[in-house]
Amino acid sequence: MTDKIEFPTGTLNTIIAMYQIALSKALGSGSAALTQLILREATKLADEMLGEISFESGSLEELDKTIPELLKILGISDKVEVEKPSNGDQAGKIYVVKIYDSVFKPVALLLAKKGIKFTLSPESFIVAYIVQKVVRKTNPKAKVRIDVEPMKSADEPLVVKVTIR
């Protein structure tokens, strides 16, 4: 994780798009269920990888700073906004994350043009992982659900909604 290797983003985006298209054709609308499974199963792996760069997830109150910080550290995006839900019970809360300059934005645009839901969004997995990690500090049984809105134009941000259950 900490090794620096130059890798063309176009190549990486092509690979992600190919996986997403294949997944959508194989599973149809069921591909969204796989996204939630990946999130649950990948937590330990993400903990290990983020531990290598000494990243701390922080608290719920800091998510508007933590999420943009990690996406920047990972080289995914420099411009991220986080809309936090109002205070109160965590269950049913929705965090809205707007990612303006993601290196994966071309995949989201391509898939939207093809009418394919972007269920394998790397940004969404990272955002949901952070929210889940932070929420589980106070509620170990909490789960999160991610949803990526289809992009309409290159001028818009990629919008990831993370719901705490």
Side-chain angles (χ1 to χ4, degrees):
M1 179 76 174
T2 56
D3 294 342
K4 293 285 184 184
I5 298 173
E6 294 293 322
F7 199 81
T9 57
T11 302
L12 184 59
N13 284 338
T14 301
I15 293 167
I16 292 170
M18 289 187 313
Y19 274 115
Q20 182 67 72
I21 291 168
L23 180 67
S24 295
K25 287 185 184 237
L27 298 178
S29 62
S31 66
L34 183 62
T35 301
Q36 307 313 317
L37 177 63
I38 290 170
L39 178 61
R40 285 193 306 269
E41 297 299 320
T43 301
K44 184 178 178 188
L45 175 64
D47 280 341
E48 291 171 11
M49 294 179 74
L50 293 177
E52 288 183 25
I53 60 171
S54 301
F55 181 79
E56 291 295 326
S57 56
S59 68
L60 273 176
E61 294 77 26
E62 300 169 330
L63 280 175
D64 57 334
K65 295 175 187 77
T66 307
I67 290 170
E69 177 187 350
L70 182 57
L71 291 173
K72 186 172 187 158
I73 288 170
L74 295 175
I76 293 173
S77 177
D78 288 326
K79 185 176 180 194
V80 178
E81 293 175 2
V82 179
E83 295 174 11
K84 298 188 302 186
S86 60
N87 291 335
D89 184 33
Q90 292 176 355
K93 296 260 179 171
I94 299 174
Y95 288 82
V96 178
V97 181
K98 296 177 181 177
I99 306 166
Y100 289 88
D101 60 347
S102 172
V103 296
F104 303 112
K105 195 171 189 176
V107 178
L109 289 167
L110 171 74
L111 295 172
K113 286 179 187 173
K114 293 184 169 292
I116 297 172
K117 191 162 173 58
F118 193 16
T119 60
L120 294 178
S121 161
E123 308 94 332
S124 69
F125 288 130
I126 292 166
V127 168
Y129 164 77
I130 294 170
V131 173
Q132 181 170 283
K133 183 87 172 158
V134 169
V135 168
R136 284 191 174 170
K137 289 177 184 178
T138 56
N139 181 359
K141 293 183 180 183
K143 295 181 180 175
V144 300
R145 179 161 185 81
I146 53 177
D147 185 42
V148 181
E149 291 185 359
M151 292 198 67
K152 296 174 186 81
S153 77
D155 298 329
E156 295 180 15
L158 179 66
V159 178
V160 178
K161 293 183 178 180
V162 183
T163 304
I164 299 172
R165 295 180 170 203

